[in-house]
């Protein structure tokens, strides 16, 4: 097992700063997910850890060993890690066993055969050694790529969007397989994805990136319940961020004004302008005349309930909220909302942050030997 330490790490492609001063510590043996929208820098950060890119500045340590820093750069093959690409990168003319053996040429024939058997057994493909990649399903090819990484017995496994090419059913089964393998081996895993459900389901620790920076690193439940920034609040769990004014803060609870409604909720924002993060679970239709007034602007039927899109009666609120209801309400109808929970965070001023739409161009992947 090897942990990862990044200090003030930066990488630019021309005028685009893909990684912008990232500091990060991943404990040994962790299953760490790197999450964010396209263009946030997560794949660039993974490639820096792998040694497929050289940092412009900063340092990278794997375990106690610095592998990149001022005047120092350790090539990918000497970093003691395995990597699984989104494309699998399997040799089509080789058998499964030959693909898994790629990079084990320094071992004796007997040791190489033992490693192949061990790796294929670990991923549940011990009966497929003689088959070729075109004879396998997408999930099986993914397992071969993982077995190849495991065969070298690395202290660190990097997975770059490994489930992106699989259908929904296969993604779920491979998530369970990754969890099983991680638990059995204890190897440190770093899993890059843009899918929050994948990250939250598989990882014990999640880092959310935003425009090249690490916005927050926390366990999944903390990211969901206590986001550190508006971007994290919106990206994780499809939260809505509303501008509010905090009137008091005491013992981790903020009293705020939302329109003509006053409420006290968990939060960290000092008195003054703030953001309120709300999700469907935080709202309910009021059964009395109390609560925040709102107008229904749309509805849909989903999983046995009606989902109402409502616009609260509050200044500067132009983004609708969603609330679940057992009965429909026609667009234009007036309702009142009860805020059951939520999370209040600081607002520095200005609009909520946005993320770029696409990732900067980068060199093609190069295979590790």
């Amino acid at each position: 097992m090897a942990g990862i330490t990044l200090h003030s790490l930066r990488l630019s492609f021309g005028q685009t700063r893909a990684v912008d001063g990232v500091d990060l510590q991943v404990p040994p043996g962790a299953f760490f997910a790197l999450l964010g929208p396209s263009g946030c820098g997560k794949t660039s950060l993974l490639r820096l850890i792998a040694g497929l890119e050289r940092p412009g500045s900063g340092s990278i340590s794997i375990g106690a060993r610095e592998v990149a820093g001022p005047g120092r750069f350790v090539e990918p093959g000497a970093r003691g890690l395995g990597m699984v690409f989104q494309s699998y990168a399997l040799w089509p003319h080789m058998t499964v066993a030959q693909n898994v053996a790629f990079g084990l040429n320094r071992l004796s024939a007997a040791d190489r055969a033992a490693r192949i058997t061990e790796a294929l057994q670990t991923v549940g493909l011990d009966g497929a050694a003689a088959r070729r990649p075109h004879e396998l399903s997408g999930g099986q090819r993914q397992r071969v790529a993982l077995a190849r990484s495991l065969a070298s017995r690395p202290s660190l496994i990097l997975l770059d969007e490994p489930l992106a090419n699989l259908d929904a059913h296969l993604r779920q089964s491979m998530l369970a397989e990754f969890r099983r393998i991680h638990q059995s081996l204890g190897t440190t895993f770093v899993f890059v994805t843009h899918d929050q459900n994948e990250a939250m389901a598989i990882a014990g620790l999640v880092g959310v990136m935003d425009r090249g920076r690490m916005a927050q690193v926390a366990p999944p439940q903390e990211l969901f319940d206590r986001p550190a920034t508006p971007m994290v609040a919106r990206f994780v769990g499809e939260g809505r961020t509303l501008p509010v004014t905090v009137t008091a803060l005491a013992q981790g609870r903020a009293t705020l004004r939302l329109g003509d409604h006053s409420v006290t909720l968990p939060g960290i924002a000092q008195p003054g302008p703030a953001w309120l993060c709300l999700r469907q679970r935080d709202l309910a239709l009021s059964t009395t005349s109390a609560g925040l007034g709102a107008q229904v602007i749309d509805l849909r039927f989903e999983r046995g309930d009606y989902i109402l899109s409502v616009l609260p009666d509050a200044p500067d609120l132009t983004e609708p909220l969603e609330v679940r209801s057992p009965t429909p309400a026609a667009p234009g109808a007036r309702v009142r909302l009860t805020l059951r929970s939520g999370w209040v965070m600081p607002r520095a001023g200005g609009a909520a942050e946005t993320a770029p739409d696409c990732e900067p161009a980068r060199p093609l992947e190069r295979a590790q030997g």
Side-chain angles (χ1 to χ4, degrees):
M1 296 186 295
I4 304 168
T5 301
L6 311 180
H7 179 65
S8 299
L9 200 62
R10 288 182 170 82
L11 173 69
S12 296
F13 296 102
Q15 297 301 311
T16 301
R17 182 160 287 182
V19 177
D20 189 8
V22 168
D23 292 296
L24 174 67
Q25 283 194 321
V26 178
F31 200 127
F32 177 72
L34 197 53
L35 175 66
S38 296
C40 69
K42 57 189 184 297
T43 294
S44 297
L45 187 61
L46 192 79
R47 291 172 65 87
L48 284 167
I49 296 170
L52 300 176
E53 305 286 357
R54 290 176 179 260
S57 61
S59 65
I60 304 169
S61 294
I62 298 176
R65 181 189 184 201
E66 186 178 83
V67 297
R72 180 170 181 79
F73 184 80
V74 177
E75 293 293 335
R79 294 195 177 193
L81 55 82
M83 187 161 185
V84 179
F85 294 109
Q86 179 179 333
S87 62
Y88 314 145
L90 301 179
W91 299 101
H93 63 287
M94 292 182 178
T95 66
V96 166
Q98 289 169 335
N99 269 282
V100 174
F102 188 79
L104 301 179
N105 294 333
R106 295 180 182 179
L107 299 179
S108 67
D111 287 344
R112 192 160 56 247
R115 292 282 188 94
I116 294 168
T117 299
E118 178 187 80
L120 290 178
Q121 286 177 343
T122 299
V123 300
L125 285 178
D126 43 316
R131 297 169 70 181
R132 297 185 186 275
H134 72 274
E135 300 175 299
L136 305 176
S137 68
Q140 289 172 323
R141 289 195 292 272
Q142 182 63 272
R143 291 170 189 243
V144 174
L146 181 57
R148 182 178 56 193
S149 291
L150 294 174
S152 62
R153 296 178 181 171
S155 58
L156 172 65
I157 296 282
L158 308 179
L159 303 109
D160 185 15
E161 299 272 9
L163 308 181
N165 295 327
L166 303 181
D167 61 33
H169 174 72
L170 276 177
R171 282 201 298 273
Q172 290 303 312
S173 63
M174 283 305 301
L175 281 173
E177 190 69 7
F178 285 147
R179 282 195 299 268
R180 179 188 67 80
I181 292 169
H182 176 258
Q183 289 168 1
S184 65
L185 298 178
T187 305
T188 307
F189 276 42
V190 177
F191 181 94
V192 166
T193 181
H194 65 275
D195 188 319
Q196 60 172 293
N197 292 323
E198 287 181 4
M200 305 289 267
I202 199 171
L205 189 65
V206 180
V208 181
M209 290 196 70
D210 179 24
R211 295 179 290 186
R213 299 179 180 179
M214 195 65 69
Q216 188 173 0
V217 179
Q221 185 173 352
E222 183 176 336
L223 280 180
F224 192 90
D225 291 338
R226 298 185 293 278
T229 70
M231 178 270 172
V232 176
R234 292 193 310 274
F235 190 76
V236 176
E238 299 178 350
R240 297 286 193 269
T241 50
L242 310 180
V244 296
T245 299
V246 174
T247 57
L249 178 68
Q251 298 180 335
R253 296 186 65 82
T255 302
L256 56 95
R257 298 287 300 179
L258 182 59
D260 60 356
H261 192 59
S262 179
V263 65
T264 299
L265 297 169
I268 55 174
Q270 297 294 326
W275 292 110
L276 171 61
C277 173
L278 292 175
R279 298 187 173 87
Q280 276 188 25
R281 70 174 190 177
D282 300 323
L283 295 167
L285 293 181
S286 176
T287 57
T288 70
S289 59
L292 178 65
Q295 182 176 24
V296 178
I297 60 174
D298 195 14
L299 83 160
R300 68 181 187 274
F301 189 72
E302 181 181 286
R303 298 180 181 178
D305 285 323
Y306 291 93
I307 308 300
L308 309 182
S309 292
V310 299
L311 193 61
D313 299 338
D316 303 323
L317 297 189
T318 59
E319 186 177 23
L321 306 177
E322 290 190 341
V323 58
R324 192 171 291 270
S325 171
T327 58
R334 299 289 304 173
V335 296
R336 285 200 170 269
L337 306 176
T338 297
L339 274 65
R340 298 188 294 194
S341 57
W343 175 249
V344 186
M345 70 195 86
R347 174 158 55 113
E353 300 168 0
T354 58
D357 295 327
C358 57
E359 297 211 21
R362 56 175 54 81
L364 295 175
E365 298 165 351
R366 52 191 174 100
Q368 292 177 250

